[in-house]
Amino acid sequence: AFCRNPRDMNHTKGGLVIFTANSHPSSRELGKRIAERLGVELGKVQVYQEANRETRVQIQESVRGKDVFVIQTMSKDVNTTIMEMLIMVYACRTSCAKSITGVLPYFPYSKQCKMRKRGSIVSKLVASMMCKAGLTHLITMDLHQKEIQGFFNIPVDNLRASPFLLQYIQEEIPDYRNAVIVAKSPASAKRAQSFAERLRLGIAVIHGEAQDAESDQVDGRHSPPTVKTTGAIHPSMEIPLLIPKEKPPITVVGDVGGRIAIIVDDIIDDVDSFVAAAETLKERGAYKIFVMATHGLLSSEAPRFIEESAIDEVVVTNTIPHELQKLQCPKIKTVDISMILSEAIRRIHNGESMSYLFRNIGVDD
């Protein structure tokens, strides 16, 4: 008698609320798509920067006792984006939300997930801040390292974009049977192998590409001790030094001659290594070169470098907004992954199993 529409009932009793925590309009696009697929309106919220550059969040509807999903895509100003997310989550927590799930298709600082010299593991810090703010669940996509899930003390669903990219290869590359999946470095060979096995294609690995060698001379580890101490260690004992790596000349393991080369990776940001790989493949006889990646950060001059390179097409998903880069470079194509994110939200809200979204995904995928 009180509620004629079942959707209205869902909103009032328990209910699902979807917010986008972005102050930047282009970043809200993914949130709109997800809400549209779920058949709900985006929650009313104001997120803006004050004159002194402080972030202010004002939630304009009740979230008491509701399942709140905060969708946050990364903009150019990553640090502001993180603060928007933290303040939004904390605002929901202090407004008595039943649960707060963060939907971060690209997890920020995910490249800084290992200890380097005197640095720090920043992705662990970001994870701790999100948990402390009040996040109860995280949905993300293709983490740079799967072990990042262990930095959280809440459930993490690391979804995969590869089914969408595989579908693109099968539907948009007419002669894909004559393709070879390429890893631009041995580090991304596992991902390439995963693609190759699913498409029943061959694999090639580029080894020995020029990488930025980090200078060990400047960090003090080569400086001799000021005072020779004999108490701590026997004078005749010497700690063996690790032999420095010597990069071999560029070699391509696998045949790419007369084939379509599809380079796969998780992030495409600084495109120098992709451009260099494309040149190498072109020299080895590949007649068409595609680059496939989940997250298209495409920073600074990346669109111009792609446009001027031997790469024929760069295919990325819409985990990060890149409309401006597409205007600068028509070679960039987008695959929409809002479908899997909306299905994950629906399943979590309804208390359904998530394992359906992880079918056929092995330990190494």
Side-chain angles (χ1 to χ4, degrees), residues 8-238:
D8 293 343
M9 184 173 71
N10 187 37
H11 260 292
T12 51
K13 188 187 172 189
L16 162 75
V17 183
I18 295 176
F19 290 121
T20 57
N22 287 102
S23 57
H24 201 275
S26 69
S27 300
R28 287 199 287 267
E29 194 57 44
L30 185 64
K32 285 177 187 169
R33 283 182 184 232
I34 291 169
E36 209 173 277
R37 285 184 184 276
L38 290 166
V40 297
E41 293 284 322
L42 276 176
K44 295 179 182 68
V45 65
Q46 266 194 317
V47 183
Y48 58 94
Q49 308 296 316
E50 291 191 339
N52 63 358
R53 302 290 297 149
E54 283 184 6
T55 300
R56 189 174 285 275
V57 172
Q58 289 181 330
I59 296 170
Q60 295 173 323
E61 63 178 84
S62 173
V63 295
R64 185 178 291 274
K66 293 187 180 178
D67 290 330
V68 176
F69 292 83
V70 181
I71 299 166
Q72 182 69 314
T73 51
M74 291 300 121
S75 63
K76 275 190 185 296
D77 191 352
V78 180
N79 298 329
T80 300
T81 308
I82 291 168
M83 278 310 294
E84 286 172 352
M85 176 79 183
L86 294 173
I87 295 168
M88 170 77 86
V89 168
Y90 191 62
C92 292
R93 179 185 168 187
T94 51
S95 301
C96 300
K98 181 180 156 194
S99 67
I100 307 158
T101 303
V103 183
L104 282 91
Y106 171 69
F107 187 71
Y109 286 94
S110 61
K111 280 188 171 182
Q112 297 189 47
C113 61
K114 290 179 182 175
M115 194 67 179
R116 306 285 290 274
K117 293 180 184 171
R118 296 189 187 91
S120 61
I121 304 172
V122 185
S123 49
K124 165 66 179 168
L125 172 66
V126 176
S128 302
M129 288 196 298
M130 286 183 180
C131 293
K132 192 73 179 168
L135 212 61
T136 59
H137 198 134
L138 178 73
I139 300 170
T140 186
M141 188 163 261
D142 282 333
L143 285 169
H144 187 54
Q145 298 286 341
K146 290 191 288 293
E147 291 75 14
I148 291 172
Q149 292 173 82
F151 295 161
F152 291 86
N153 51 17
I154 56 171
V156 177
D157 287 311
N158 181 28
L159 302 172
R160 306 297 196 277
S162 48
F164 296 91
L165 296 174
L166 290 165
Q167 187 182 26
Y168 184 93
I169 292 169
Q170 289 171 318
E171 292 177 2
E172 302 295 328
I173 303 175
D175 198 16
Y176 85 91
R177 289 277 173 214
N178 186 34
V180 61
I181 305 296
V182 180
K184 70 175 175 67
S185 68
S188 53
K190 267 187 182 174
R191 188 177 179 84
Q193 184 187 352
S194 171
F195 271 68
E197 286 174 0
R198 283 170 167 76
L199 292 166
R200 317 289 190 265
L201 297 174
I203 183 173
V205 180
I206 299 172
H207 180 46
E209 78 275 21
Q211 291 174 330
D212 295 333
E214 292 177 26
S215 173
D216 287 338
Q217 304 294 331
V218 294
D219 72 349
R221 64 174 90 173
H222 288 274
S223 56
T226 47
V227 182
K228 285 194 174 181
T229 55
T230 51
I233 195 164
H234 196 272
S236 65
M237 287 173 68
E238 243 184 75

Side-chain angles (χ1 to χ4, degrees), residues 328-348:
Q328 296 170 319
C329 175
K331 287 182 182 180
I332 300 166
K333 309 290 181 203
T334 312
V335 175
D336 182 26
I337 45 83
S338 61
M339 186 192 296
I340 195 168
L341 293 172
S342 56
E343 180 62 10
I345 290 170
R346 190 192 67 77
R347 283 173 176 270
I348 289 167

